[in-house]
Amino acid sequence: MRLAIMGAAGRMGRALIRAVQETDDCEVTGAVERTGSSFLGKDAGEVAGVGHLGVAIDSDPLPLFTHIEGVLDFTTPATSVATAALSAQARIVHVIGTTGFSPDDERKLEAAARHATIVKSGNMSLGVNLLAALLEQAARALDERFDVEILEMHHKHKVDAPSGTALLLGEAIAAGRSVALKDRSVRTRDGHTGERPQGAIGFASLRGGSVAGEHTVIFAGNGERLELTHRAENRDIFARGAVTAALWARGRGPGLFSMRDVLGIR
Ligand SMILES: NC(=O)c1ccc[n+]([C@@H]2O[C@H](COP(=O)([O-])OP(=O)(O)OC[C@H]3O[C@@H](n4cnc5c(N)ncnc54)[C@H](OP(=O)(O)O)[C@@H]3O)[C@@H](O)[C@H]2O)c1
C-alpha cells in the first residue's frame, strides 16, 4: 500500500515511518511537513532513523494525491481538516490520529468521509480501545452512584487537554450510561465549586516530562473503588495501530470509521 505521512518529522510522524517500513505490503511514497519547516528536502527515512528511503520531505501534499492509496496523519486539526478534503477528492484512505478537533472540524471530517475512507481515533492502540469497551460495560453495570473520574498524564509538549484518549474513554462511559458526554463532563475545577453533581464524568490532566500517555479511570463508590489503567510505554503502539487501520480500510467504501471498527471490539 502506497502511503504518505503528514507531519513526517513530528514525534508521531517518525514513528509512523518506522512502522510502515516494518510492515509487509506497505511503503512510504510521500512525506509532508509544513511550509517553512527546516526538514523540507531532507530524506524521510533518514529523519526517522531507518536509513535512506529516497523520499524527500515536501511542503505541497497535492502532487502526492495522484498516486498514493492512503495518508497517515498525526498533525494539527487545521492540517487534518485540509488533508481530509484532498483525501475526499482523491477517494483514498485517510487515517487521522490528530486530536483537539472543534465541533465544526468534526462536521467537516464527516463531510469528507462521504468520499474518503476515514479511520479516526484519539488513540490507535489495541489496549486503549479494549479499555474503552470494558469501560462501556463497567459504566452500564455500575450506576451513577459510582462517581467516574478520568485522570491522564502526558509529556510537556502536548498542546490540547483533556487528551483525545481521555475524551474517547469518556464517550465510552457515557455510551454505557446512555447519556451524552457533553451534558455530564466536568473538565476543570477551581475555587468554591460546590459538591460533585451525581452522574458527572470528571477529567483531570497532568503534563510533564516525556510520558507517552497514561490514563486511569476511577469508579468511586460508597466504600469501594475500581480503577482501570492503561500505560503507553512508547509511541510505536499508536503507529502500528495506524498502519493496521490503513490496511483494514484499503478497498473499503467511503465512511467514517473508528479504531474499534478496525479491531472488531464492540
Ligand atoms: N491517536 C493517537 O493514537 C495519538 C497518539 C499520539 C499523538 N496523537 C496526536 O497526534 C498529533 C501529533 O502529535 P505529535 O506528538 O506527533 O506532535 P508533533 O511532534 O508536534 O508533530 C506534528 C507534526 O506535524 C507538523 N505539521 C504542522 N502543520 C503541518 C502542515 N500544515 N503540514 C504538514 N505537517 C504539519 C508539525 O510541524 P512543526 O513542528 O514544524 O509545526 C510536526 O512536525 C497530536 O494531535 C497528538 O495529540 C494521537
Side-chain angles (χ1 to χ4, degrees):
M1 185 173 190
R2 295 183 303 279
L3 295 167
I5 314 293
M6 296 299 294
R11 283 177 286 268
M12 278 305 302
R14 293 171 200 227
L16 289 165
I17 293 168
R18 291 195 295 272
V20 172
Q21 286 310 108
E22 282 167 9
T23 309
D24 291 339
D25 297 332
C26 283
E27 57 175 330
V28 176
T29 55
V32 182
E33 265 296 332
R34 66 174 173 77
T35 308
S37 164
S38 57
F39 292 98
L40 296 182
K42 296 205 168 135
D43 186 81
E46 285 171 6
V47 168
V50 294
H52 192 78
L53 283 181
V55 177
I57 298 179
D58 201 341
S59 62
D60 183 6
L62 201 54
L64 294 174
F65 280 75
T66 57
H67 71 268
I68 57 172
E69 296 169 274
V71 53
L72 307 182
D73 174 6
F74 288 59
T75 54
T76 63
T79 308
S80 294
V81 167
T83 305
L86 296 177
S87 302
Q89 276 169 31
R91 295 174 189 269
I92 62 167
V93 171
H94 187 180
V95 177
I96 303 176
T98 309
T99 58
F101 292 107
S102 68
D104 189 45
D105 292 334
E106 302 276 4
R107 277 190 289 278
K108 287 177 182 158
L109 295 179
E110 279 163 28
R114 282 192 226 118
H115 301 293
T117 311
I118 296 181
V119 181
K120 174 176 162 292
S121 177
N123 193 300
M124 298 268 170
S125 79
L126 173 61
V128 159
N129 285 282
L130 180 60
L131 175 60
L134 294 173
L135 287 172
E136 194 172 325
Q137 208 179 343
R140 200 173 292 125
L142 304 174
D143 65 21
E144 293 197 340
R145 282 172 296 182
F146 278 79
D147 299 323
V148 182
E149 294 285 312
I150 303 173
L151 175 67
E152 54 110 342
M153 180 161 186
H154 281 84
H155 56 88
K156 61 185 170 192
H157 302 293
K158 185 162 180 61
V159 295
D160 55 317
S163 69
T165 304
L167 293 171
L168 179 157
L169 299 177
E171 290 288 358
I173 292 158
R177 287 189 169 170
S178 303
V179 297
L181 180 61
K182 66 176 173 44
D183 298 336
R184 303 299 173 114
S185 68
V186 176
R187 293 186 174 210
T188 53
R189 294 185 181 111
D190 188 24
H192 186 82
T193 60
E195 281 192 11
R196 187 186 200 283
Q198 179 156 317
I201 299 174
F203 289 86
S205 299
L206 311 181
R207 294 289 175 266
S210 57
V211 180
E214 294 195 5
H215 295 83
T216 295
V217 178
I218 304 164
F219 289 85
N222 191 10
E224 59 180 332
R225 203 162 75 226
L226 174 66
E227 299 186 2
L228 293 101
T229 296
H230 179 268
R231 292 193 181 90
E233 293 175 359
N234 56 55
R235 293 183 174 81
D236 296 349
I237 55 169
F238 311 126
R240 283 198 298 268
V243 176
T244 302
L247 289 168
W248 176 88
R250 185 189 202 184
R252 239 165 244 271
L256 183 55
F257 301 98
S258 74
M259 210 50 202
R260 280 171 77 178
D261 294 317
V262 174
L263 297 169
I265 304 172
R266 278 283 154 215

